[in-house]
């Protein structure tokens, strides 16, 4: 279970090293700078947690669905909708989960009752959610938009959350202070609940049977439609909670700027995280932390002497390496001589 994702990461870093060599950069020096900026430098761990927290939620969302062979590609849009709903209601955690779950149930209903491919519908809904986010701030006078003041009239912006709605954080006085956001704690709790759900309950057993063999599941009397809706709702709720965390932990506003929240691609990166973790909830947290460190280091080091596209290239190589590792798990390549019977046939 550990060898395949570990091997995928090793191969990805080796391939990224070749890219660095091809572009005239010293491999060991570049990797050392990445590691220092991600985990060692003053304040680096806190910044890495900021990057890793939303990846943990979208990674858990992808893992929750993929374990039943439901390919929810809509974590991006479900995170947006969770951020939108959490901004309105005082119970931000509940509202974020509800918004994400409701958005995920759209492709869930289409899959359960109309046999529609959930990959396509959930992916398309990402764009709908992005347009909705933009519309609420830039093209309407909605509740979410700041409507008073000169700047608000000239430059459309979102309201700021009141201080009472901000999520508290703990601080560890180490290396200049490491801030532990409340969302990171929620992600840890969600991972534990997801592990219990899939490995210690009848619901999880039936979901995995349905994912492995729908025909056997139907023969055993497992209610397929109900399971599809439940798993999609759980997946969407996790992504929506990530959106609520963006509001309460970090942004303190509804970020509709295309260069802001929408440019981070947390939902798509979460798929990479889930694949590398092999859909294990606790492994998702670890991989999210590593990928978050990579993103943080890329943002910190970006400059004339550091290849700005390296982090993006590395993430792409990691994704393809993870997919290649999955192929090696499911299939075997064998080399052998053809038998005499095969030759004469």
């Amino acid at each position: 279970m550990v060898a395949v994702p570990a091997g995928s990461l090793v191969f990805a870093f080796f391939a990224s090293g070749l890219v660095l060599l091809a572009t005239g950069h010293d491999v060991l020096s570049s990797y050392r700078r990445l590691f220092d900026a991600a985990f060692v430098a003053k304040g680096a761990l806190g910044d890495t947690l900021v990057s890793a927290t939303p990846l943990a939620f979208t990674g858990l969302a992808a893992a929750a669905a993929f374990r039943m062979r439901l390919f929810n590609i809509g974590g991006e849009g479900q995170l947006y909708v969770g951020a939108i709903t959490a901004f309105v209601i005082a119970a931000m955690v509940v509202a974020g989960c509800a918004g994400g779950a409701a958005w995920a149930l759209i492709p869930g209903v289409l899959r359960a009752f109309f046999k529609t491919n959930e990959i396509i519908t959930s992916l398309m809904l990402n764009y709908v959610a992005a347009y909705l986010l933009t519309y609420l701030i830039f093209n309407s006078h909605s509740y979410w938009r700041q409507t008073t003041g000169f700047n608000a009239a000239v430059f459309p912006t979102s309201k700021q959350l009141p201080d009472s709605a901000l999520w508290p954080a703990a601080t560890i006085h180490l290396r200049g202070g490491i801030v532990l956001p409340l969302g990171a704690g929620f992600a840890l709790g969600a991972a534990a609940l997801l592990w219990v759900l899939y490995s210690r309950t009848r619901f999880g057993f039936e979901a995995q049977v349905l994912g492995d063999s729908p025909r056997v599941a139907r023969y055993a009397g497992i209610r397929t439609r109900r399971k599809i809706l439940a798993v999609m709702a759980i997946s969407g709720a996790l992504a929506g909670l990530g959106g609520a965390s963006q509001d309460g932990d970090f942004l303190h506003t509804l970020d509709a700027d295309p260069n802001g929240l929408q440019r981070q691609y947390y939902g798509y990166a979460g798929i990479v995280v889930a694949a590398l973790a092999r859909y294990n909830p606790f492994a998702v947290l670890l991989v999210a932390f590593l990928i978050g460190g990579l993103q943080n280091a890329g943002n910190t080091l970006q400059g004339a002497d550091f290849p700005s596209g390296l982090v993006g290239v590395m993430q792409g190589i990691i994704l393809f390496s993870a997919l290649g590792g999955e192929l090696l798990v499911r299939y075997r390549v064998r080399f052998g001589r053809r038998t005499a019977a095969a030759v004469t046939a």
Side-chain angles (χ1 to χ4, degrees), residues 179-207:
V179 178
L180 301 177
L182 181 61
F186 281 137
L188 179 60
L193 290 175
L194 197 62
W195 181 83
V196 170
L197 181 67
Y198 273 99
S199 62
R200 294 292 184 270
T201 67
R202 178 179 175 179
F203 176 92
F205 173 76
E206 291 181 347

